[in-house]
Amino acid sequence: LLEWTGRLWTAPEERRYNQPLGRLWFALSFYSLVDLLSIVPTLVDPFIPGDQPSATFLRALRLLRLLRGTGYSKSLSRYVATLSSCMPTFQLTFAIAMVTWVFFSVLLYYAERYNPDPDMRKHYKSVPEAMWVTLLNLSGEAPLCNYQTWGRLIEAAVGLFATAFFAIPVGVLAGAFEKDFGLDDDDEEEEEGAVASQDGQGPQFMSCFGTSAVSAPPRLDTPPWRADLAALVQAQTPQGVWFERVVFSVIGLSILQAALDTVPLMEDDKGTQTVFFVIEATFVGFFTIEYLLRLAACPEFEEYRGYNVVIARCKYMMSFYSLVDLLAIVPWYLARVSTTVDQYDHTFRLIRILRLLTLDKYYPGMSLLDDVIRRASSDLSVAAFVASVTWIVFASLLYITENKNTTEDADRPEGERFADVPTALSYTLILLSGDYPLIEFTWPGRLVNFFMIICAQAIVGIPTAITIAGFQTIVQEARDAKRAALELAGTPEQRRIGPGPGLGGQGLMATGMVSKGRQVVHDLLNLRQKALSKWYAYGIGALIVLNVIAVLAESVQDFAATMPDGFFSHFETFSVAVFTLEFLGRLWCAPLCTEDRQGYTSRLGYLTSFYGVVDLITILPFYADSILDALHSPLDATDLRVFRVFRVFQLEHFIGSFTLLDDAFRRCQSNLAAFGLVALIIWVGGASLFYVFESSPALQPIDEMRESFDSVPSAMYFLAVFLGGEWGLTDFSVPGKVLCIMLVAIGIQLYAIPISVLFDAFQEVLDDEGQGDGEEGDGQEKQGLLAGARG
C-alpha cells in the first residue's frame, strides 16, 4: 500500500502522466490496477464473512501479487505486444472457430439427445450442454464414445476437419509467441550453424563403444599397468570396446532385474527371490570391480592429468558419475551388515536405476539439456515466469468455481480435487497440457476451461517450445559440422550418403568375383531387369497385400467359417515358401549391394538392417509353429502368427518411403541415442518414483491407485501412457502430484524429442534426395512400386 501510494504521488514525474488528471490516469493504468487488486482483499476481508463466495474470490485476488515479481513489466509488455501484433488474424480465425463450435454442437445435440445411454443423454440434453463436450472434442479430446450412427459420422467429421479449423486461433497465438522468441528463424539458425561448423566449434555427439579413441599424452611417471588400464576402461583399445559393451549389457540387465524384482508375484516366490539375490550379488560384484578399476586408472583420465595421484583419485570419488556408481552398490553391502538398512533394502535396491545416468558419459543427452538451458536462459526465464503465473491463476479460478462441486467424476467428487489451490495445481496443469480426463465441471468452471483451451495452452507451451527448439539447434549445428567435414573429402555420392565398408557391389563386379547367376538374381530382386522385374514387382506386391488381407479376414470368425477347410493354412504355406526364397536370394546377393542404395554391403549387414529384420520376422513364426507341432510340444506358437502383419513392411523393397526412413534412422542414430537416453531416464526413473510414491498405503489411500502402481513394470506402462499426453489416472499422492507437475511441465516434451530428431533427419534425407535428383537426373530417383516395375 505504501509503495502504491508513493508511485501515485510521484506519477506526474513521468512524461505520460505529467498532465491534468495525471494521477487518475496512473491509478487506472493496468499495472496500478494489478497493485490495487492485490491490496484490496486484505483491507476488505475483515468485513466479509468467511463462508461467502465473495470472500473466497477476494482472497484469491491476492495471487495477483505474483505479477509484481522482478522483471514482470518487461515480461508482460512483451506478451501484450505479441498479442496486439496478431490480434487482427486472431479475431478472424476466432470467429471461424466459434462458428465451427456452435455448428457441430447443434448437430450433435440433434443426433444424441435421445441416445439410450443415460450418460450420453445427460451431456446432450440441450445445446449449451452439448457445447461443453463438443468444445473438448474440437480440442482433440474424446471423453465420450457411445455415440449413435449419426453421432459417429459427425464425430468423424469433427476429427477429420473441424478440429483443424478450431485449432487455428491457438496456432495463431502459438506462432506469434514462437516468432517473438525467435523459434522460427530457420535462416538465422542455419547461418549460425554454418558459422559454428566453419569455426570447428559445433557440438560433437559421442558415439558408443570407443568414444575416446584419441587420448592425451600420458604422464611421465605413469606406470605401464595404469596407462593400459586407463585405455581399457576408456575404450581406447579393442579390448576396451568389448569391456564397454559388457558394461552396457550389465547395466541394462541390472535395471531389468530391479524392475522385475518389484512384481508382486515374484516378490512372494522364495525360489525367484533366491535367484534374484544371486543375480544381484553378481551384478554388484561386477560394478564393484568396474568402480575399483576406474578408481585405479583415474589419474590418467584427461580431466585429472594436472593433479597428483592421491588428489586425482579424491576428485574422481567426488565426481557425479562416481557418486552414482557408489549409490548403486553401497546400499547392498550395508544391507548385508546392518538390520536397519535391511528394513529398507527393497527401496534401496531401486537406486540401481541411477546406473542409467552413467550412460550419459557415452550418449550425453543430459549434458546437452544443460547446454540448451544455458543458451536459452533469458528467454526461458521470461516464458517460464508468465507460464507459471498463468498456471497459478487458472488453478485459483478452478478452485473458486469447483471447490463446492459435488458431481462425481471417476468415482470421486470433483470438488475434492479442487478443494484448495495447492491441490488444484496438478489437475490444472494436466488440463493446460491439452488432456481432459475430468469433464464434470460447473458452468463457471467450463467458462474457465474455455479460456484455457483457447489462450492459456499456447502461453504455457512456450517454455517447452524454447527447450525443444534449443535441442533442434544443437542437432542442426552438429549436422552442419559433419556435413562441412564430409564436403571437404570424398565424392559427391559419398557426401550424400557416406562411404560403406567393404568392396560393395561395384567393387566385386570390378574384380570379376561375381557369378553370372548371382548377378541375375541380384538384378531381379532390385528391379534392374526390364524383362522380369515388372512381373516380379507386381507379383510380390500383390502377394504381400493379399497376406495382409488374409490376416484381417482370418480374425473375422463369421467370414473365416465360410472359407474352405485349410484355405488360410495352404495360403500361408505358399506365401512363406515364396518369402523364404526371396529372403535366401537377398541373403545370397547381399555382398553385391551398395551402401547408398540398400544401406548394407554384407550378409551380416542385411540380417541386421531394417530390411533383413522385417524379412526374417515374417517367416520365422511359421517355422517355429511347425517345429513345435512336429515335436508335439505343449508350447503353442500360434499367437506368433500375428507377426504376419509385418509383411506389409516388405513393400519397403518397392516403395521408396521405407528406404528413406531407414536412411534417416542410420543418419541420426548417434543423436537419437543421446536424446533417447534422456527419454529412457525420464521413463524408467519416473516409473520408479511413481512406484515408490503410489504403492505405499501411508502416502496413497486410494486402492485403485495403489493397484495401478504395485510394481515398476506396471508403473512403466502407465507412465508410457502419461508421457504420450493421456492422463487416465490423476488422483496421485502429494509427492506423486509433484512428480506429475514435473512430467507435464517438461518431461513429456523431452520424452518426445527422439521422435523430433528422427523426423528432422527424415526431412534432411528428403532434401538431399531432391538435390541428388537435380544433379543426377531421374535415373537415380527412389522408385515406388509401379515406378520400380516400369524400371
Side-chain angles (χ1 to χ4, degrees):
L1 179 62
L2 290 175
E3 180 191 17
W4 181 82
T5 304
R7 290 182 182 276
L8 179 66
W9 178 256
T10 58
E13 300 299 322
E14 296 186 39
R15 179 177 300 178
R16 53 181 171 171
Y17 299 123
N18 188 7
Q19 56 180 304
L21 304 178
R23 288 191 175 92
L24 177 61
W25 290 116
F26 170 79
L28 295 176
S29 66
F30 180 80
Y31 299 115
S32 174
L33 290 176
V34 168
D35 289 340
L36 279 175
L37 288 175
S38 65
I39 298 169
V40 168
T42 303
L43 302 177
V44 178
D45 187 53
F47 305 99
I48 300 178
D51 57 349
Q52 296 294 321
S54 56
T56 303
F57 177 76
L58 284 173
R59 290 165 187 162
L61 289 177
R62 289 178 294 184
L63 290 168
L64 290 174
R65 294 170 185 171
L66 283 169
L67 305 180
R68 305 177 69 250
T70 303
Y72 159 73
S73 298
K74 294 181 180 179
S75 302
L76 186 63
S77 299
R78 184 172 182 177
Y79 274 72
V80 170
T82 302
L83 287 171
S84 300
S85 66
C86 71
M87 191 52 62
T89 306
F90 176 78
Q91 290 174 343
L92 175 63
T93 57
F94 181 76
I96 296 174
M98 293 302 99
V99 171
T100 303
W101 180 26
V102 174
F103 176 75
F104 280 97
S105 297
V106 173
L107 289 181
L108 285 170
Y109 159 69
Y110 281 107
E112 298 299 324
R113 56 180 173 168
Y114 299 128
N115 193 307
D117 186 338
D119 189 48
M120 295 290 295
R121 207 163 51 243
K122 177 183 72 173
H123 287 95
Y124 290 100
K125 64 183 180 182
S126 65
V127 173
E129 285 285 350
M131 290 180 68
W132 166 238
V133 180
T134 306
L135 174 67
L136 300 182
N137 293 338
L138 289 170
S139 70
E141 289 297 303
L144 303 176
C145 59
N146 293 327
Y147 291 96
Q148 299 183 98
T149 302
W150 282 106
R152 293 176 182 177
L153 293 175
I154 296 170
E155 278 296 303
V158 168
L160 291 174
F161 308 108
T163 303
F165 288 108
F166 191 79
I168 293 175
V170 179
V172 169
L173 289 179
F177 289 133
E178 289 178 3
K179 183 177 180 181
D180 179 60
F181 283 98
L183 303 184
D184 63 343
D185 295 336
D186 295 334
D187 297 337
E188 181 179 345
E189 290 180 1
E190 291 178 2
E191 182 178 347
E192 292 176 355
V195 172
S197 301
Q198 294 171 3
D199 294 341
Q201 301 299 321
Q204 301 295 320
F205 290 85
M206 292 182 283
S207 60
C208 182
F209 307 141
T211 57
S212 305
V214 180
S215 60
R219 296 169 179 263
L220 297 178
D221 58 343
T222 299
W225 66 267
R226 198 163 67 203
D228 294 340
L229 185 59
L232 175 72
V233 298
Q234 291 184 298
Q236 295 170 354
T237 63
Q239 296 81 4
V241 171
W242 282 103
F243 175 75
E244 199 166 80
R245 288 174 177 171
V246 172
V247 171
F248 264 60
S249 302
V250 175
I251 289 175
L253 291 173
S254 67
I255 292 171
L256 176 63
Q257 188 256 332
L260 294 177
D261 197 19
T262 62
V263 177
L265 289 177
M266 296 186 177
E267 276 187 309
D268 299 336
D269 186 77
K270 292 184 178 180
T272 303
Q273 286 301 304
T274 301
V275 174
F276 277 2
F277 177 81
V278 174
I279 293 174
E280 184 180 4
T282 304
F283 288 157
V284 170
F286 175 85
F287 287 122
T288 302
I289 294 173
E290 183 213 6
Y291 179 80
L292 293 176
L293 291 177
R294 292 187 182 276
L295 182 63
C298 68
E300 304 308 314
F301 296 171
E302 187 173 355
E303 57 267 37
Y304 304 120
R305 286 285 173 84
Y307 306 96
N308 64 47
V309 174
V310 176
I311 295 178
R313 289 195 173 117
C314 291
K315 281 188 165 290
Y316 172 77
M317 292 177 67
M318 298 304 297
S319 67
F320 174 76
Y321 295 118
S322 173
L323 293 175
V324 169
D325 290 337
L326 286 175
L327 283 173
I329 60 178
V330 169
W332 188 88
Y333 290 107
L334 293 178
R336 306 284 75 79
V337 299
S338 172
T339 56
T340 303
V341 176
D342 189 55
Q343 294 176 4
Y344 304 97
D345 183 48
H346 185 74
T347 302
F348 278 129
R349 277 183 278 180
L350 283 177
I351 297 178
R352 288 174 292 179
I353 301 296
L354 290 175
R355 288 172 186 154
L356 273 174
L357 297 177
T358 62
L359 298 182
D360 192 64
K361 292 182 288 187
Y362 315 107
Y363 291 125
M366 302 301 293
S367 303
L368 292 175
L369 176 60
D370 179 69
D371 293 342
V372 168
I373 293 175
R374 290 177 184 273
R375 284 190 180 193
S377 59
S378 177
D379 286 345
L380 271 177
S381 60
V382 172
F385 174 75
V386 177
S388 300
V389 170
T390 304
W391 170 34
I392 295 174
V393 166
F394 276 102
S396 304
L397 291 175
L398 286 176
Y399 154 68
I400 294 170
T401 59
E402 301 299 319
N403 70 90
K404 298 185 183 302
N405 187 349
T406 58
T407 306
E408 287 200 356
D409 196 346
D411 300 324
R412 187 181 179 189
E414 200 78 286
E416 291 184 6
R417 298 185 173 98
F418 299 93
D420 52 67
V421 173
T423 303
L425 285 173
S426 63
Y427 299 105
T428 305
L429 191 58
I430 289 175
L431 300 178
L432 284 170
S433 72
D435 188 39
Y436 270 80
L438 308 174
I439 63 172
E440 301 294 345
F441 293 99
T442 60
W443 279 105
R446 293 178 183 183
L447 181 62
V448 172
N449 278 278
F450 169 80
F451 286 104
M452 288 170 61
I453 292 172
I454 294 296
C455 305
Q457 291 179 7
I459 296 174
V460 173
I462 293 300
T464 298
I466 293 173
T467 304
I468 293 179
F471 271 109
Q472 292 174 337
T473 300
I474 287 180
V475 171
Q476 186 61 46
E477 289 177 0
R479 287 177 182 162
D480 291 340
K482 184 177 181 180
R483 181 177 295 177
L486 290 175
E487 288 178 350
L488 295 177
T491 64
E493 188 66 24
Q494 289 173 326
R495 291 198 301 268
R496 287 181 56 214
I497 305 297
L503 290 172
Q506 295 180 352
L508 287 174
M509 286 186 288
T511 58
M513 298 169 59
V514 181
S515 65
K516 184 176 180 180
R518 182 161 33 161
Q519 185 63 53
V520 171
V521 174
H522 174 72
D523 291 343
L524 173 65
L525 295 176
N526 290 279
L527 310 179
R528 294 180 181 177
Q529 285 192 3
K530 294 184 179 180
L532 298 177
S533 291
K534 173 182 177 180
W535 299 106
Y536 165 72
Y538 278 125
I540 203 74
L543 184 61
I544 291 171
V545 173
L546 288 175
N547 267 266
V548 175
I549 295 174
V551 171
L552 301 178
E554 192 177 9
S555 66
V556 181
Q557 299 297 326
D558 294 339
F559 177 80
T562 63
M563 303 302 293
D565 292 341
F567 172 80
F568 289 109
S569 297
H570 296 321
F571 181 71
E572 173 70 6
T573 302
F574 170 75
S575 301
V576 169
V578 174
F579 292 137
T580 301
L581 288 175
E582 183 193 26
F583 171 76
L584 294 176
R586 293 189 181 278
L587 185 64
W588 184 40
C589 300
L592 301 184
C593 297
T594 56
E595 184 76 20
D596 61 304
R597 287 183 176 274
Q598 288 82 19
Y600 53 84
T601 58
S602 66
R603 293 188 176 96
L604 179 61
Y606 167 68
L607 290 174
T608 57
S609 69
F610 178 75
Y611 305 94
V613 171
V614 169
D615 291 345
L616 192 59
I617 202 173
T618 58
I619 61 175
L620 279 183
F622 175 85
Y623 291 110
D625 192 23
S626 301
I627 292 172
L628 291 175
D629 285 344
L631 297 176
H632 304 288
S633 172
L635 298 176
D636 186 9
T638 305
D639 292 340
L640 294 177
R641 293 184 181 181
V642 69
F643 288 105
R644 291 180 297 174
V645 76
F646 280 83
R647 287 172 186 167
V648 70
F649 290 110
Q650 290 183 299
L651 291 172
E652 72 200 16
H653 299 295
F654 317 106
I655 297 179
S657 302
F658 294 106
T659 304
L660 294 177
L661 184 60
D662 184 65
D663 293 342
F665 178 80
R666 288 187 288 112
R667 180 167 297 196
C668 71
Q669 57 187 351
S670 60
N671 301 347
L672 199 61
F675 298 124
L677 175 61
V678 176
L680 183 63
I681 291 173
I682 292 172
W683 183 33
V684 178
S688 301
L689 291 175
F690 266 133
Y691 163 70
V692 173
F693 298 151
E694 303 304 316
S695 65
S696 170
L699 296 175
Q700 178 55 266
I702 303 176
D703 293 338
E704 181 187 358
M705 296 295 292
R706 290 201 304 273
E707 293 171 0
S708 300
F709 296 94
D710 63 350
S711 67
V712 172
S714 179
M716 289 175 68
Y717 163 74
F718 282 102
L719 186 56
V721 176
F722 298 161
L723 291 172
E726 295 293 328
W727 292 82
L729 301 174
T730 57
D731 298 322
F732 301 106
S733 61
V734 174
K737 290 179 186 293
V738 174
L739 180 58
C740 168
I741 289 171
M742 295 173 62
L743 289 172
V744 175
I746 194 169
I748 293 176
Q749 289 72 24
L750 294 182
Y751 188 77
I753 284 178
I755 303 299
S756 176
V757 170
L758 183 60
F759 284 167
D760 288 345
F762 187 73
Q763 182 62 52
E764 185 180 1
V765 169
L766 289 177
D767 294 341
D768 287 351
E769 196 66 24
Q771 295 174 4
D773 291 343
E775 295 174 359
E776 301 173 20
D778 295 336
Q780 300 297 328
E781 184 181 1
K782 290 283 182 180
Q783 299 178 349
L785 176 58
L786 299 179
R790 287 195 299 269

